[in-house]
Amino acid sequence: MGDQLLIGVNGAAGRMGQRVAVLICQDPDLKLGAALESENSPALGKDAGEVAGIGPIGVKIQSELTDRVDVIIDFSLPAGLIKIAGICAERQIGLVAATTGLTPEQRNEVLTASQTTPLILAPNMSLAVNLMMKLVREAAHSLKNSPGGVDVEIIERHHRFKEDAPSGTALHFGEIVADEMGQTEHVHGRAGRPGPRPVCEIGYHALRTGDNVGEHTIVFGMMGETIDLTVRGHTRDSYVYGALTAAKYLAAQKPGLYTMADVLGLN
Ligand SMILES: NC(=O)C1=CN([C@@H]2O[C@H](COP(=O)(O)OP(=O)(O)OC[C@H]3O[C@@H](n4cnc5c(N)ncnc54)[C@H](OP(=O)(O)O)[C@@H]3O)[C@@H](O)[C@H]2O)C=CC1
Ligand SMILES: O=C(O)C1=N[C@H](C(=O)O)C[C@H](O)C1
């Protein structure tokens, strides 16, 4: 199958990386070309399919990219993303960057890869979540001059293993709302006596329970009524399908920065 796209996965032994490997193997247009982990990973040298629970597929997990690939999909940690972004930029390999929890400086460093290679850097790859981003923008735009003011709070729920908070997706929802409505303060939880809530705030609430793969609710609270917009993931495959679609999209693009809205036809 010579015309298959060769995909590398960075963070191959992780929760997301394993599902990326499995769903690549189920897609006739794709082939897993490389499986990468950090240099200290206990998974180094193991078969990526065995680690993902589907039996051997002939791709060993490595810490360095030695094989040719067309696009890399990264679900790792900020340090892992920065390293692979440098490699992708140098070798002109398309990069689907899904890792969250980056500092602004780390984000800028990753973004420089788009000068030499096609790049997507998005906190959420799911179709439903990206559609919600459009709906939230529309709601924020329509409600911004509501008499009595509108209080926006963002509630997210994720599994107990998640390392960053609030989620990258929650922060992005907040950016969309602030862009439309002009809030200037981003408040993370409340305790003590914060006093009456100023309308210039967006509040974020990060719940960490069990094995939740990701839920986001954007609350638009007004005097007399409330709108809750909620999107829920059922399995991690919702993110993986988006990432695979993004990889196929990037393989046909020139160097530059692209968005999931471009990939999913939501513009
Ligand atoms: N954009 C999106 O749609 C989504 C984004 N995410 C984000 O993806 C990231 C990963 O999530 P998840 O799979 O749950 O996390 P995991 O911790 O399960 O997986 C991350 C993997 O990356 C590995 N890793 C750590 N450092 C490096 C490195 N330097 N190079 C390569 N690999 C490395 C980890 O190894 P070790 O355990 O040995 O450190 C681990 O196997 C998170 O930032 C999460 O928020 C998650 C879901 C959807
Ligand atoms: O860590 C996760 O699981 C997820 N992380 C992403 C985020 O931080 O927004 C996306 C999704 O919600 C799952």
Side-chain angles (χ1 to χ4, degrees):
M1 303 263 266
D3 53 0
Q4 285 177 310
L5 265 189
L6 282 171
I7 309 291
V9 58
N10 197 38
R15 286 174 288 270
M16 288 301 304
Q18 290 183 37
R19 291 307 299 167
V20 172
V22 171
L23 295 189
I24 286 174
C25 292
Q26 292 176 12
D27 187 326
D29 297 326
L30 302 177
K31 187 170 165 50
L32 187 67
L36 301 169
E37 269 289 332
S38 75
E39 57 200 21
N40 304 318
S41 170
L44 292 182
K46 294 187 180 162
D47 186 284
E50 286 197 331
V51 169
I54 55 170
I57 55 174
V59 180
K60 296 269 183 247
I61 297 181
Q62 310 180 132
S63 61
E64 299 300 327
L65 180 64
T66 53
D67 302 286
R68 186 184 79 77
V69 294
D70 299 305
V71 179
I72 297 264
I73 296 175
D74 172 90
F75 287 95
S76 65
L77 281 178
L81 172 54
I82 284 170
K83 179 179 170 191
I84 203 67
I87 292 168
C88 288
E90 197 184 300
R91 302 190 203 171
Q92 298 188 311
I93 299 167
L95 174 61
V96 178
T99 294
T100 57
L102 306 178
T103 64
E105 295 73 26
Q106 288 172 324
R107 188 181 150 77
N108 286 337
E109 200 173 337
V110 173
L111 288 174
T112 58
S114 67
Q115 291 167 8
T116 53
T117 201
L119 171 71
I120 287 173
L121 173 59
N124 207 300
M125 301 283 152
S126 121
L127 171 61
V129 172
N130 281 279
L131 177 57
M132 255 283 274
M133 288 172 182
K134 271 189 87 167
L135 301 177
V136 165
R137 184 175 291 282
E138 191 176 337
H141 183 78
S142 301
L143 295 172
K144 70 178 168 193
N145 295 323
S146 211
V150 186
D151 302 316
V152 181
E153 302 271 319
I154 299 175
I155 304 163
E156 57 98 331
R157 295 166 185 251
H158 283 85
H159 50 96
R160 65 167 70 128
F161 310 102
K162 185 164 175 61
E163 294 191 13
D164 55 317
S167 68
T169 307
L171 292 170
H172 193 63
F173 276 124
E175 283 166 16
I176 291 170
V177 170
D179 189 41
E180 289 295 331
M181 304 180 87
Q183 291 93 336
T184 51
E185 305 303 317
H186 298 265
V187 173
H188 299 276
R190 289 190 190 85
R193 286 178 60 81
R197 182 197 197 286
V199 83
C200 64
E201 283 183 358
I202 297 177
Y204 298 82
H205 309 278
L207 281 64
R208 294 288 174 267
T209 61
D211 60 356
N212 193 317
V213 302
E215 294 180 36
H216 293 87
T217 298
I218 291 72
V219 182
F220 293 89
M222 293 156 280
M223 303 307 283
E225 55 193 346
T226 296
I227 299 174
D228 284 4
L229 294 177
T230 296
V231 58
R232 293 193 181 93
H234 301 167
T235 74
R236 293 193 164 82
D237 292 2
S238 55
Y239 311 122
V240 178
Y241 286 123
L244 299 188
T245 307
K248 291 175 189 176
Y249 178 90
L250 284 193
Q253 306 304 322
K254 298 191 192 99
L257 182 63
Y258 300 89
T259 66
M260 285 308 291
D262 297 329
V263 170
L264 299 167
L266 295 173
N267 282 322

